[in-house]
Amino acid sequence: MRYAVAMSQPSTAAVRSVADRLSAFGSTIFTEISRLAIEHDAINLGQGFPNFDGPDFVKQAAINAIKDGHGQYARMFGIAELNRVIAARFNADAGLGVDPDAEVTVTSGCTEALIATFLGLVNPEEEVILFEPYYDSYRACVAMAGAEPKFVTLRPPDFAVNEQELRAAFSTKTRAILVNTPHNPTGKVFTTSELELIAALCKEHDAIAICDEVYERLVFDAEHVQLATLDGMYERTVTLSSLGKTFSLTGWKVGWAIAPPELTAGVRAAHQFITFATATPLQHGAVAALEAPDSYYAEFVEAYRRRRDVLVEGLERIGFEVYVPNGTYFVLADHTCFGFADDVAFCQHLIKEVGVAAIPPSAFYHDPADGKNLVRFAFCKDEQTLRDAIGRLEALRR
Ligand SMILES: Cc1ncc(COP(=O)(O)O)c(C=O)c1O
């Protein structure tokens, strides 16, 4: 065989690389910024992963599961104990009566829940409404499903939903709207009246809602309202979440989708062929996590409130116009006063000259010009790291 290869003529035709549906996306901005951060030894306030580890009681439960021989495929839609605790927690928060086996699907992170939902429930050429700035995987999910994105822009300073623009985005082809609350990257927590408007439009147009709630526990000065709890919405909503943010275990990739049986059928139709099942020992760890007492969440939010305040106060002192987040672990700020052409030029300067990595948010808009004055910082880092980053950012004032 090696001989045959050596003797064959070099081919003149280039091998086709990435399929058309994904070729426009390239590698994600997070991969790119993390690579540059390492290369320039910058403090990484870019990608949203904590620089501290998750709780011992969760890790120990996964270690025990490995030692106890839970090493084979799990049930396709999740181990029974995990489905049970996910449903119990959702029912307690939402006041609903979700059935753990018929309405909860455990996935490999919210990322897999998203693509399983899109592939299982959205047909090619149907339309999906995305608020922008958006978490970048949504647009790729729409593309992988062969659907059409429709954008509704959330604008500073408060990133409120513009009713006229939202109404105009709905059409006879609308299949779904994606609602991410608390919202990455703005830190916005959707208000009850905004959610009521979304609910009314979903019902009027017979559309479903896909709710990404991975930051559901990271809420500071607002109340997180679940769209699924509004009148007549549970039956047309898929609620997605995961363990990663709330338990500082982003690398575990344990997530879930909660939806009525008709919509769950679509999610599972795709999930069974994407990953089939999620890592069994980590599902056992997730059970321990979701059984954590309320005090865990209270301490978790307070620690994040302190981190947010360190970063926000530091950025304001340096001169940024900061849009203080009500939720998530991200801060958007306006960098215009520093005189850079756009967010990409500013972030390159930050990484290479200042030693701090942040994300240029133009990657989260269909028209990059909309994000060019902004920069996103993550504060899922210990307080000392945040203070060190602020210390370096002081260089911008000189
Ligand atoms: C809004 C949003 N959704 C989903 C995810 C991915 O979640 P997971 O790590 O559980 O796949 C992230 C991660 O940053 C996110 O910010």
Side-chain angles (χ1 to χ4, degrees):
M1 185 45 108
R2 285 181 61 203
Y3 177 75
V5 170
M7 292 295 287
S8 66
Q9 293 298 312
S11 164
T12 47
V15 174
R16 197 185 68 201
S17 180
V18 182
D20 294 348
R21 72 177 78 82
L22 287 171
S23 58
F25 291 95
S27 57
T28 80
I29 189 72
F30 307 111
T31 309
E32 193 53 22
I33 294 292
S34 290
R35 186 187 65 73
L36 278 176
I38 293 167
E39 192 179 313
H40 294 276
D41 200 18
I43 298 175
N44 192 351
L45 305 189
Q47 195 173 1
F49 58 86
N51 70 344
F52 40 85
D53 209 357
D56 283 343
F57 67 92
V58 181
K59 293 193 288 186
Q60 194 55 53
I63 292 166
N64 293 348
I66 291 173
K67 287 189 173 156
D68 292 347
H70 292 288
Q72 308 307 328
Y73 293 131
R75 189 172 66 165
M76 180 272 281
F77 54 90
I79 62 167
E81 303 90 303
L82 182 54
N83 289 58
R84 183 180 54 73
V85 290
I86 292 169
R89 207 186 64 159
F90 185 78
N91 289 338
D93 288 345
L96 292 166
V98 163
D99 180 309
D101 290 338
E103 297 172 86
V104 176
T105 306
V106 174
T107 58
S108 297
C110 181
T111 306
E112 197 234 325
L114 280 162
I115 190 61
T117 303
F118 275 90
L119 294 179
L121 290 170
V122 179
N123 276 334
E125 285 161 40
E126 288 181 327
E127 292 176 358
V128 178
I129 299 172
L130 300 179
F131 289 103
E132 62 175 5
Y134 45 75
Y135 177 57
D136 68 340
S137 95
Y138 303 155
R139 216 173 152 187
C141 283
V142 174
M144 286 191 271
E148 286 295 317
K150 293 279 155 191
F151 301 101
V152 176
T153 310
L154 304 170
R155 296 189 180 81
D158 55 4
F159 302 100
V161 173
N162 179 302
E163 178 169 345
Q164 271 184 340
E165 288 179 26
L166 183 60
R167 275 187 192 284
F170 276 85
S171 80
T172 51
K173 291 169 100 185
T174 306
R175 168 60 169 159
I177 179 166
L178 202 147
V179 183
N180 168 217
T181 183
H183 182 258
N184 172 9
T186 64
K188 166 193 174 67
V189 178
F190 279 66
T191 64
T192 305
S193 61
E194 288 174 329
L195 294 171
E196 280 170 350
L197 172 66
I198 293 168
L201 291 168
C202 282
K203 287 187 257 181
E204 191 179 318
H205 294 270
D206 195 20
I208 61 168
I210 303 169
C211 289
D212 176 343
E213 301 187 355
V214 294
Y215 299 101
E216 61 194 319
R217 296 286 167 174
L218 269 171
V219 181
F220 307 111
D221 309 312
E223 190 199 351
H224 168 56
V225 177
Q226 295 180 287
L227 188 57
T229 63
L230 300 191
D231 197 31
M233 281 310 285
Y234 180 70
E235 46 270 51
R236 55 176 69 250
T237 301
V238 186
T239 302
L240 312 178
S241 194
S242 70
L243 202 70
K245 316 292 175 183
T246 310
F247 291 91
S248 310
L249 291 166
T250 58
W252 280 32
K253 299 299 273 189
V254 178
W256 52 87
I258 303 173
E262 305 71 40
L263 298 180
T264 290
V267 174
R268 290 183 185 176
H271 163 73
Q272 65 182 336
F273 294 124
I274 300 173
T275 55
F276 181 75
T278 294
T280 312
L282 300 186
Q283 292 198 49
H284 286 276
V287 173
L290 296 182
E291 284 176 335
D294 288 349
S295 57
Y296 170 80
Y297 297 106
E299 284 164 28
F300 172 78
V301 172
E302 277 323 299
Y304 266 106
R305 187 190 298 279
R306 286 196 299 275
R307 294 179 193 123
R308 177 194 68 166
D309 293 347
V310 167
L311 185 61
V312 166
E313 281 161 28
L315 292 175
E316 282 177 341
R317 208 171 49 243
I318 290 163
F320 286 93
E321 186 181 346
V322 182
Y323 304 113
V324 182
N326 278 335
T328 77
Y329 47 47
F330 302 110
V331 176
L332 274 188
D334 189 307
H335 62 78
T336 314
C337 66
F338 300 110
F340 288 81
D342 59 28
D343 58 331
V344 175
F346 182 65
C347 287
Q348 277 180 354
H349 175 81
L350 283 193
I351 296 176
K352 292 178 186 167
E353 310 298 333
V354 177
V356 175
I359 298 287
S362 55
F364 307 144
Y365 291 86
H366 80 286
D367 178 358
D370 281 327
K372 75 180 183 26
N373 296 333
L374 300 173
V375 54
R376 190 196 81 173
F377 296 97
F379 54 90
C380 43
K381 312 291 166 184
D382 62 81
E383 281 182 49
Q384 191 52 50
T385 301
L386 295 171
R387 288 184 206 286
D388 291 347
I390 293 292
R392 290 188 184 189
L393 288 166
E394 297 276 355
L396 288 166
R397 292 212 284 194
R398 292 192 283 273

